[in-house]
Amino acid sequence: MTTIEVARHRTAGEVIGAARELVEPALRDAVNSLAPAMRRIAGYHLGWWDADGRVIDETGGKSIRPALTLLCAEAVGESVRAAVPAAVAVELVHNFSLLHDDVIDRDQTRRHRPTAWTVFGQGDAILAGDALSTLAADVVAASGHPHALEGVRMINSTVLELIDGQSADMAFESRGDVELAECQAMAASKTGALLGCACAVGGLFGGGSRDQVLSLGVFGSQLGLAFQFIDDLLGIWGDPAVTGKPVHSDLSNRKKSLPVVAALNSQTPQATELSRLYGGDGDLSAADQARAAELIDQAGGRRWSSDQADVLFDEAISRLATAGLRAGPVAELAEMARLVTRRDH
């Protein structure tokens, strides 16, 4: 009897490792093209060196977005190398947003060490973020790819959407009447847009059809929103050893994340008490943060957010099945989706 070997698809870790090998040299080349002051901050933020510029043996970000870009290119074509500039650009945009977010949210730590703005100052950290955003478009424009212009427009459109989402997020801080629908729209712009772009631009640079690029973009957007639901849960109940941030980090400054807004709109006694806590001035005390976490849970915000992440995950996977993609990369995209939504364990 003949044995038919079924090709083994890679784990999410293997996909990310392979993507990092391809993307990091090009990412370093891009960052090294910056002026010294901006290069120093960007390299520190990316985990390549310490505040004094000394090289350190430390892993930076997870490279999830570049991995998705390359995997989507592979899903529609044969080679991923043509999509490396797009993957670099996506990672640059991601880190532009992180640099700015840390300043806006006053976050003290990222990736288990001080955030760039606490080391170099707010102004320089903002400028470094601006530099990475501009560099992202330049990398795509200089790629020589037949769809480079469309790729630049995708990148720039995504940056504008990220900014719009961040602006809405900031506006929510001074409002007591944030509706669930507008909070979800904010999260779709702030997080879903970049994962959608990562997948769509990968499909574009991989030679995919218009329908395939669209389907991959929708997959990424749904996956990104599912990720935001999970990330917001971790921002309240996550393990600091895993998240790199203090417990209840999103509650200290009264952040109106998705579970919080769901609880505030629940029309329960817990919502009333939570509204009083969130209506004060200054940062919440540790005791108030713990109480707020209890109230959000009791009001259903925790369960609702988890359920929404489940629905979005299922919708994202379903989208892959109808896009006419290669089977192997589709299986690996599903593995990546499980990792992004913490379903890999």
Side-chain angles (χ1 to χ4, degrees), residues 307-322:
D307 289 345
Q308 289 298 306
D310 289 343
V311 170
L312 287 160
F313 174 85
D314 290 342
E315 289 177 351
I317 296 301
S318 295
R319 190 76 187 200
L320 291 177
T322 59

Side-chain angles (χ1 to χ4, degrees), residues 93-291:
V93 170
H94 175 52
N95 283 282
F96 138 76
S97 71
L98 295 182
L99 281 162
H100 282 203
D101 283 358
D102 285 344
V103 173
I104 292 167
D105 295 339
R106 311 295 295 171
D107 283 336
Q108 302 287 313
T109 59
R110 180 170 294 280
R111 297 165 185 160
H112 308 287
R113 64 178 187 159
T115 46
W117 75 268
T118 66
V119 176
F120 301 100
Q122 295 183 40
D124 281 344
I126 291 169
L127 291 174
D130 294 342
L132 295 186
S133 173
T134 303
L135 187 59
D138 187 64
V139 166
V140 175
S143 68
H145 193 280
H147 294 295
L149 178 58
E150 189 173 354
V152 169
R153 295 192 69 180
M154 276 187 179
I155 293 294
N156 286 342
S157 175
T158 299
V159 169
L160 291 175
E161 197 165 353
L162 291 174
I163 291 170
D164 186 54
Q166 182 64 65
S167 175
D169 194 18
M170 291 166 59
F172 292 169
E173 293 177 11
S174 59
R175 289 177 47 194
D177 60 343
V178 179
E179 299 293 334
L180 262 181
E182 59 182 335
C183 190
Q184 287 181 268
M186 175 276 293
S189 293
K190 190 176 175 183
T191 307
L194 184 53
L195 262 72
C197 176
C199 294
V201 77
L204 179 70
F205 273 54
S209 68
R210 290 288 170 187
D211 286 345
Q212 287 175 322
V213 171
L214 176 62
S215 290
L216 288 169
V218 173
F219 160 76
S221 296
Q222 291 173 317
L223 183 59
L225 188 52
F227 166 82
Q228 189 60 60
F229 274 104
I230 298 298
D231 200 53
D232 282 356
L233 289 170
L234 292 173
I236 301 174
W237 295 283
D239 180 355
V242 176
T243 64
K245 295 182 179 182
V247 67
H248 302 151
S249 60
D250 281 357
L251 300 180
S252 63
N253 60 357
R254 296 178 170 85
K255 185 177 179 65
K256 291 188 177 71
S257 61
L258 287 159
V260 172
V261 173
L264 287 170
N265 282 275
S266 66
Q267 297 183 332
T268 61
Q270 291 86 356
T272 302
E273 185 178 347
L274 182 63
S275 181
R276 283 198 298 267
L277 277 176
Y278 260 63
D281 295 322
D283 289 348
L284 288 177
S285 68
D288 284 343
Q289 291 172 38
R291 180 55 181 159

